[in-house]
Amino acid sequence: MFSPMIRELMESLRCLPGVGPRSAQRMALHLLERDRDGAVRLSAALKQAAEGVGRCQHCRTLTEEKVCQICANPGRDEKLLCIVENPSDVMAFEQAGGFSGRYFVLMGHLSPIDGIGPEDIGIEQMLKTVADNRVDEVILATNPTVEGEATAHYIAEELKSLGVTTSRIAHGVPLGGELEFVDGGTLAHALAGRKKVEI
Amino acid sequence: MFSPMIRELMESLRCLPGVGPRSAQRMALHLLERDRDGAVRLSAALKQAAEGVGRCQHCRTLTEEKVCQICANPGRDEKLLCIVENPSDVMAFEQAGGFSGRYFVLMGHLSPIDGIGPEDIGIEQMLKTVADNRVDEVILATNPTVEGEATAHYIAEELKSLGVTTSRIAHGVPLGGELEFVDGGTLAHALAGRKKVEI
């Protein structure tokens, strides 16, 4: 019963993750009834970003600049390279603080079933970066999932011949919360990776 | 740490109801990494709707046409007028089925605190429609909230002098579910509005 333009808006909103038909209807009517300026601004931002955002030449993260802000920062240690799957992982590490090296963003993980091989996640480019910058240590910070572990393992194998130190972020119980709610796999990892308490 | 275009996209997405900073980040990265076509389509739909959608001349609902599809349908009974607050209420009644009259959409409710008076919700126009079409019955289907009830009461007063039958949709326990989970106000209404069982 909605007019074609409103229906098209509702259908288009479904491309957003987590937005079903009810949310799309609520969003469309909200914008049309109460926030047309917001709709116009969002329209412009979407067009601009979809057409303008590419990849950082060095780390492959999403940016409209040739080189992202982190890679362009001379204060960041180029001898320390942290490999992550997604731009949001870079954001998470930056918000946590404490890392002064650089990143390399795979923009995914190895997934032979989906036809995603090493060339699709920039392994060549990453190896070249490691060699060119004479990186001292590569930190594998892919996700603690089956695909993330497999990707980390593959990269570690590739790095072996370059004689670079390779490390994996620690797996264990997260801070806060209670042990009884931690899943078995994590607990097993935490036990196996236990460290001697030095007093 | 995101580039200006990506930050602008994330901020613009916040105009959508129910979208906080985390959802906005997830949505922006999803579109840029995996669905640029969707982003371009959504951008066009937003612009088109924000600039093109106006109000139906007869019932005030949102549409880009001069007259909405329901008002343009000669099969709908113009002697029966259902007054609702929002276009989504029209949708709800149409999906429920069983109503063959026309609607009048207030696009809000009376709210003196927010400076929304009778002229803002089209009361003049509604009274003119009732007189012009010689409407037999006006059904007040504003929301069962304090503002909706007040608006219904105000409209009923205004209609008194026109000699038109005015009715309010029934309040009571919704179908499905169990009585113990129905709130007290609804139960009290359901009791007060009880009907004799005819056998």
Side-chain angles (χ1 to χ4, degrees), chain A residues 44-58:
Chain A
L46 282 163
K47 186 163 190 287
Q48 175 181 262
E51 291 170 357
V53 171
R55 301 275 184 87
C56 170
Q57 283 180 349
H58 296 326

Side-chain angles (χ1 to χ4, degrees), chain A residues 2-6 8 11-12 15 25 33 35-36 41 43 45 47-48 50 53 62-64 87-88 91, chain B residues 2-6 8 12 15 25 33 35-36 41 43 45-48 50 53 62-64 87-88 91:
Chain A
F2 289 111
S3 63
M5 266 188 205
I6 303 179
E8 166 63 16
E11 277 163 33
S12 308
C15 74
Q25 179 179 319
E33 288 170 22
D35 194 7
R36 299 221 179 186
R41 180 184 172 192
S43 167
K47 186 163 190 287
Q48 175 181 262
V53 171
L62 291 169
T63 176
E64 70 270 18
S88 42
M91 195 59 166
Chain B
F2 290 111
S3 63
M5 264 189 208
I6 303 179
E8 166 63 16
S12 308
C15 74
Q25 178 179 321
E33 288 170 21
D35 194 8
R36 298 220 180 190
R41 179 183 172 194
S43 167
L46 281 163
K47 188 165 188 289
Q48 176 182 261
V53 171
L62 290 169
T63 176
E64 70 271 19
S88 42
M91 195 60 165

Side-chain angles (χ1 to χ4, degrees), chain B residues 51-123:
Chain B
E51 291 171 357
V53 171
R55 301 275 183 87
C56 171
Q57 283 179 347
H58 296 327
C59 75
R60 283 170 51 99
T61 197
L62 290 169
T63 176
E64 70 271 19
E65 290 141 2
K66 281 193 177 172
V67 176
C68 76
Q69 289 170 34
I70 294 176
C71 288
N73 181 349
R76 307 285 303 218
D77 184 0
E78 65 178 13
K79 301 289 180 202
L80 194 56
L81 190 69
C82 179
I83 300 189
V84 295
E85 293 186 26
N86 299 303
S88 42
D89 302 328
V90 174
M91 195 60 165
F93 275 112
E94 289 299 301
Q95 280 173 344
F99 180 71
S100 60
R102 294 173 184 246
Y103 297 93
F104 188 87
V105 185
L106 302 173
M107 296 297 287
H109 47 238
L110 290 178
S111 180
I113 287 176
D114 304 312
I116 299 174
E119 64 285 359
D120 301 306
I121 58 172
I123 298 298

Side-chain angles (χ1 to χ4, degrees), chain B residues 175-195:
Chain B
L175 300 190
E178 304 185 31
L179 277 195
E180 62 173 310
F181 301 118
V182 172
D183 68 289
T186 301
L187 271 186
H189 260 292
L191 258 184
R194 66 190 181 278
K195 285 182 182 170

Side-chain angles (χ1 to χ4, degrees), chain A residues 9 13 15 20-21 23 28-29 69 71 74-75 97-98 111-112 115 118 122 150 154 165 169 184 189 194:
Chain A
L9 177 57
L13 282 163
C15 74
S23 304
L29 294 177
Q69 290 171 32
C71 289
S111 180
Y154 178 88
T165 304
I169 49 168
H189 259 292
R194 66 190 181 278

Side-chain angles (χ1 to χ4, degrees), chain A residues 114-186:
Chain A
D114 304 311
I116 299 175
E119 64 284 357
D120 300 305
I121 58 171
I123 298 297
E124 274 307 311
Q125 188 186 339
M126 186 272 296
L127 293 172
K128 190 168 176 300
T129 301
V130 170
D132 289 355
N133 294 353
R134 292 183 192 164
V135 169
D136 289 330
E137 181 180 355
V138 172
I139 302 170
L140 301 170
T142 51
N143 287 329
T145 57
V146 173
E147 296 89 351
E149 295 294 348
T151 306
H153 186 259
Y154 178 88
I155 294 173
E157 289 282 341
E158 291 288 309
L159 288 169
K160 224 179 207 173
S161 59
L162 292 177
V164 59
T165 304
T166 306
S167 59
R168 179 85 174 109
I169 49 168
H171 292 353
V173 293
L175 301 189
E178 303 184 30
L179 278 193
E180 64 173 309
F181 300 117
V182 173
D183 68 291
T186 301

